[in-house]
Amino acid sequence: MAIIGIDLGTTNSLAACWKDGRLELIPGEDGEVLFPSAVGYVEREGFLVGAAAKKRLLTHPMDTVASFKCFMGTAKEYRLGDRMYTPMELSAMVLERLKRNAEHVLQEEIEEAIVTVPAYFNDKQRSDTKKAAQVAGLKVERLINEPSAAALAYRMAMGEEDRALIIFDFGGGTLDLSYVECFDNVIEIVAVAGDNHLGGDDIDSAIQSYFCRENALVEETLPPEELAAIRNLAEQSKCALSASGQADMELTVAGKVCRAQLTEDILFELCMPLFGKMKKLFLHLLEDADSRVSQIDDLVMVGGSSRLGVVRRFLSELLGKEPVVLDETDRVVALGAGIYAGIRRRGEEIRDMLLTDVCPFTLGIGIRNRSGQDKNVLSPMIERNSTLPASVKNRFVTTSDYQREILVKIYQGEEYYVDDNVHLGEVAIEVALKPAGQAWVDVQFTYDINGILHVTVENEMGERRQILLANQALSAEELERYTKEMEKIMLPPIEQPQNREMLARFLEYFENSTGERRERLGAMIGYITRGLCSGRKKAVRNAQENARAWLSMLEEARETKEERLFDGKDFESWEDEDWEEADGWESEEENQDGKDIGLDSKGEGDDNDQ
Ligand code: AMP
């Protein structure tokens, strides 16, 4: 059972693993390691995930979604077909496809994954990422922060020297900065700072608005298809600019040819508001790490948007040193996740590295405002950038005479008033009946290595209440409901790459045969196809197992050039009687319409998990 590392990206996702002493990125069916994080819906055909969906973004913007990771953990939903989908469900579709690709490539079942998340993901976003993996059939023991994964990969590549790094992880939707110290076998994340809504997409938006301004187009009044085309042009021009320094934009909008020229200088100007935000984040980071620019050995740029020359220019002006742009800038996070998967699997070849991470935001509870104002204020329990795991216990007292209960409300954020922070949950507990200030509770916050918060509240009578906030895993019913939904959207067995490949090999044998041998091969193909289309777990498995066994016999026969196997007893075993006996199988005649059996039409008691 293999463990893989997954970079679940805003724009693209990748999977990596440690195999036979080497780190490998896992290619998809098309041979590409970058798997677009996009999902589309085609009426009567179903869902498309990955490159096929990305292609349709332009032509069918209403039936295709991308960049949904930006809204992970929020209430945003996307309509596809006849229902709404959450970013968690859409991410599950991407993860499921990555899992399946990996199983096909590695020829092993994948049960577990190390999934990376932006360092600035909050509890809810982390929790939803774990749920998405769960729905995709993956166990996630460890979420690691994307920049931490990048630091791990950089450290592996750069060797042993002690170094202080800033990892500048600039992707499609987020910017994460991490201050990292590397010494001996330890990679210590000292501080992080970031913005969940600052990425390449914002640069695309700025270019889109510039193009509209230059051509007197009013963005708000343009139909979605035209807007999608302009946005696509904006992204293409941005990428072209990093290659050639200049891009001529041209597009026919509402019958009129619109043009604009994009240069490095224009883009630099357009990005000024974003650079302002970046500068603030750097200040924040250095302050929290108690460091200064002169102490940084390397500024390492990762993430797709790090390729932009204007960003490099801004950083070298800001920091007075040339940043390091890794060749594999959009792969380095996945590589780090793959290394971590190797460490988890105890790959002999990987040194035991210790990766320590920090809590990216302050966690605390709401308490009464001493100034007498109604608004409660935050009493920090775990300060941002505390090293994980972190555990803090504090005592709180009642504010009213003979109060019966205390409601401990848990928040995340840096703001003074609790209402301006993110409410994570609450837990109520009875307290001793005493005058105000005399009854108490002990509140303990423990933040684990996955960035998941456990809160325990204990009163003076020794009664305890516990709440595990982010790890609100799916209940058995929820998981079943999602699994059923996923079944509808997953590739049916007949279209799964490993099965398609297997059938293609039978078809090749069929083409190259004649007479009785050809007839038998035809029957085999019919049997396998019906099994794979049956929608029944056992029938699918029988078809796969038989197909594999027959293929190895066919191959053996081909290799030794012996026809014996086709005439003798070996193939008796798949004569009609056996088909009828096999679970869920009808005879050939009865099953004539088997091809039409859809995945949804499951019989009673069938458990279809394909
Ligand atoms: P990531 O989230 O790390 O996959 O990064 C995706 C972002 O990188 C998107 O906004 C892309 O438009 C951007 N990107 C990819 N390639 C380039 C390039 N050559 N130049 C500039 N931006 C790029």
Side-chain angles (χ1 to χ4, degrees), residues 523 526-527 530-531 536 574-595 597:
Y527 170 85
R530 282 193 302 276
R536 288 191 288 267
W574 57 270
E575 294 293 359
D576 287 4
E577 315 87 73
D578 263 24
W579 300 11
E580 284 164 36
E581 276 166 27
D583 175 82
W585 283 97
E586 297 110 44
S587 72
E588 175 101 279
E589 291 74 35
E590 283 167 341
N591 202 26
Q592 280 307 313
D593 59 351
K595 282 187 240 62
I597 299 174

Side-chain angles (χ1 to χ4, degrees), residues 494-548:
I494 188 84
E495 281 175 31
Q496 287 163 16
Q498 68 274 29
N499 294 333
R500 278 214 318 247
E501 203 171 273
M502 205 151 61
L503 264 175
R505 284 162 72 194
F506 276 99
L507 291 171
E508 196 191 323
Y509 277 112
F510 183 86
E511 268 173 41
N512 295 325
S513 311
T514 49
E516 195 188 334
R517 177 187 165 116
R518 193 178 164 103
E519 256 173 52
R520 284 180 178 270
L521 278 160
M524 286 182 197
I525 293 168
Y527 170 85
I528 299 165
T529 311
R530 282 193 302 276
L532 295 178
C533 291
S534 70
R536 288 191 288 267
K537 183 181 173 185
K538 205 155 179 187
V540 169
R541 206 171 41 225
N542 283 345
Q544 285 170 322
E545 280 171 8
N546 279 325
R548 268 196 291 272

Side-chain angles (χ1 to χ4, degrees), residues 221 224 271:
T221 60
C271 289

Side-chain angles (χ1 to χ4, degrees), residues 120 122-123 192 284 288 358-365 378-386 410-415 421-422 424 445 447 453:
Y120 247 70
N122 64 30
D123 260 32
V192 296
H284 205 52
D288 279 1
V358 292
C359 164
F361 23 64
T362 299
L363 294 160
I365 67 167
L378 186 77
S379 171
M381 295 284 291
I382 295 179
E383 298 279 357
R384 72 164 181 270
N385 289 323
S386 304
I410 302 148
Y411 294 89
Q412 161 197 306
E414 315 306 322
E415 306 296 331
N421 290 302
V422 181
L424 297 178
F445 272 39
Y447 206 56
L453 178 63

